[in-house]
Amino acid sequence: MLKKTATAFALGFSLALAMSSTALAEGTVKIGLIMPYSGPFADAGAQMQAGIDLYIKTHGDEVAGKKIVLIKKDTGGPNPDVAKRLAQELVVRDHVDVLAGFALTPEALGAAPVATEAKKLMVDMNAATSIITEKSPYIVRTSVTIPQINYAFGKWAAGQGIKHAYTLVADYGPGHDAEKSFARGFKEKGGEIVGADHSPVANPDFSAYVQRIKDAKPEAVYIFIPGGSQPAAIGKALADKGLTPPNTKLLGQGELTMPDAMKSLGKNADGIVTAFHYTLERKDPLNEKFVAGYEKLTKGREPDLFSIGGYDGMHLIYAALEKTKGDASGDALIKVAKGMSWESPRGPITIDPETRDIIQNVYIRKVEKVDGKLQNVIIDTIKDVKDPLHGAGK
């Protein structure tokens, strides 16, 4: 039975390859988008789709003489098995030329073998675990990795003279990655982690965790938690115990002070320092044009990390097609994607020719009051940061 299934799948790919050639001849390039359009991560999917739509609206739906056709598939995720099945359907039945999207790491890992077997370019527009690009030679990432941000952030924090820090992260994969990366960078620069704690992913009350932090008397607290109601809950708990800036430095990855999170934190956000690859408020004509176009397209919604990943993912596909003069084969596209550089609304970007992962700036932001309103203000920029884990066997 297994043999029959494998044979059928192989035949399917052969058919797909033939049909892809037909599609090329007909002047279309089909992009299969695999994202959570429904379920608990539907908002991430919606923001990524808006970034994709804005790029097409701005640059047109034709490139290198080929018409761009999007085929959307909903995982309802996180669901790696569904993502793999949808990738197979997109290749075999819909005859796509490119696989793209992937808001969540398990879904990117699920689709990776399909990209390899079908020899299709696969653009990771958000999933942030380091190993993803190592799972297929056809994967390119246009988003970020958690170690890329937090390893650099840990080194920066120690470089600012902070000697002792306590880490509190959500008890799941991304939280563990953030904790390890921050601690590694912090300790390499002479800092000491005086305590570490893990909270449940959905945790309504942080008072017990914050009491342990207070007892440890650290100079700084590093926090990594999901968005939603979590930032407000931990902000209140820290304020209740008197652990607020400037007496206690509060550090975290950018999600902690994203616009919606900042609204829930209220005045407790003042003085929090975060590191991120995209900052809505960055003063740059290209970013300001991106933000204005996004808000117009979405009727007032602000772009975020998902939006910029989708936008830059489409840029990579368009630029690669221009270089190949419309040849949408995976081998041709991945060859020209390696080493590609461009100016994004987030700043300069390069695709590492060795790892196919993104090289970009990491911005250090501090929440300050500007014109009477709290917002992220860039206080430092760490330029051209690579993921530190590739080749480390992790």
Side-chain angles (χ1 to χ4, degrees):
M1 180 66 184
L2 185 62
K3 185 177 180 181
K4 288 182 178 179
T5 301
T7 301
F9 192 55
L11 288 172
F13 277 146
S14 298
L15 178 61
L17 291 171
M19 293 305 292
S20 291
S21 299
T22 302
L24 185 64
E26 292 173 349
T28 63
V29 174
K30 293 183 178 180
I31 302 173
L33 296 172
I34 300 175
M35 297 197 288
Y37 291 104
S38 65
F41 293 93
D43 190 63
Q47 288 286 80
M48 287 173 65
Q49 186 62 54
I52 292 166
D53 292 343
L54 177 60
Y55 191 90
I56 295 174
K57 179 179 171 57
T58 305
H59 296 85
D61 64 355
E62 290 189 9
V63 58
K66 309 295 181 184
K67 184 174 178 60
I68 298 297
V69 177
L70 302 181
I71 302 176
K72 304 174 187 176
K73 298 291 184 180
D74 179 16
T75 64
N79 199 327
D81 292 336
V82 170
K84 182 176 183 178
R85 175 176 57 77
L86 293 176
Q88 291 170 337
E89 289 179 4
L90 283 165
V91 170
V92 175
R93 189 176 67 192
D94 297 307
H95 317 304
V96 300
D97 302 288
V98 177
L99 296 169
F102 307 104
L104 306 164
T105 289
E107 296 181 351
L109 295 177
V114 180
T116 302
E117 190 165 358
K119 297 184 178 180
K120 298 293 182 184
L121 175 69
M122 176 172 156
V123 183
D124 172 7
M125 296 177 169
N126 184 68
T129 302
S130 292
I131 59 170
I132 289 172
T133 55
E134 299 174 11
K135 296 302 179 182
S136 171
Y138 292 91
I139 295 178
V140 178
R141 177 163 19 220
T142 61
S143 52
V144 67
T145 77
I146 290 173
Q148 182 179 46
I149 291 177
N150 291 287
Y151 175 67
F153 191 27
K155 293 174 70 173
W156 179 88
Q160 301 306 301
I162 300 173
K163 299 298 182 185
H164 305 99
Y166 194 107
T167 61
L168 173 61
V169 305
D171 192 9
Y172 71 140
H176 300 163
D177 284 352
E179 175 189 40
K180 291 176 184 175
S181 302
F182 178 84
R184 177 182 163 193
F186 189 65
K187 290 190 286 189
E188 283 183 5
K189 284 291 185 179
E192 179 186 359
I193 302 297
V194 298
D197 223 336
H198 297 164
S199 61
V201 174
N203 187 49
D205 183 2
F206 287 90
S207 57
Y209 298 95
V210 171
Q211 183 59 54
R212 287 197 285 274
I213 294 172
K214 186 173 184 178
D215 293 343
K217 300 178 180 178
E219 293 176 72
V221 183
Y222 170 81
I223 300 165
F224 183 97
I225 55 173
S229 61
Q230 305 275 297
I234 196 165
K236 180 179 184 304
L238 289 164
D240 288 346
K241 298 293 183 185
L243 300 176
T244 54
N247 295 328
T248 302
K249 297 176 176 61
L250 300 183
L251 313 174
Q253 186 169 299
E255 288 92 338
L256 185 62
T257 58
M258 282 170 60
D260 288 343
M262 202 132 57
K263 289 175 185 173
S264 64
L265 277 164
K267 64 180 182 181
N268 294 327
D270 197 4
I272 294 177
V273 176
T274 58
F276 223 18
H277 62 297
Y278 177 66
T279 297
L280 175 72
E281 300 87 353
R282 192 172 80 91
K283 300 298 183 186
D284 174 83
L286 190 58
N287 186 43
E288 290 166 357
K289 182 179 179 182
F290 170 70
V291 173
Y294 194 91
E295 290 179 343
K296 183 178 181 181
L297 178 73
T298 60
K299 303 187 186 320
R301 187 84 187 266
E302 294 173 324
D304 60 13
L305 74 160
F306 304 109
S307 318
I308 195 68
Y311 186 87
D312 281 325
M314 289 307 297
H315 178 96
L316 182 138
I317 294 170
Y318 271 51
L321 284 168
E322 287 175 350
K323 285 181 176 290
T324 64
K325 302 185 185 307
D327 182 350
S329 66
D331 287 322
L333 292 176
I334 198 68
K335 181 179 179 181
V336 299
K338 294 177 181 176
M340 186 180 289
S341 296
W342 69 94
E343 195 67 27
S344 158
R346 74 179 98 172
I349 284 175
T350 295
I351 301 300
D352 190 327
E354 299 298 323
T355 66
R356 291 163 279 104
D357 219 328
I358 190 167
I359 303 171
Q360 60 190 326
N361 292 343
V362 171
Y363 301 102
I364 308 299
R365 307 102 51 88
K366 184 178 182 181
V367 177
E368 297 178 351
K369 193 167 285 186
V370 178
D371 297 330
K373 178 184 175 184
L374 290 173
Q375 68 173 55
N376 292 301
V377 176
I378 295 175
I379 59 173
D380 205 351
T381 300
I382 307 170
K383 294 186 176 180
D384 302 327
V385 180
K386 292 185 178 184
D387 180 283
L389 297 186
H390 287 306
K394 298 181 180 180

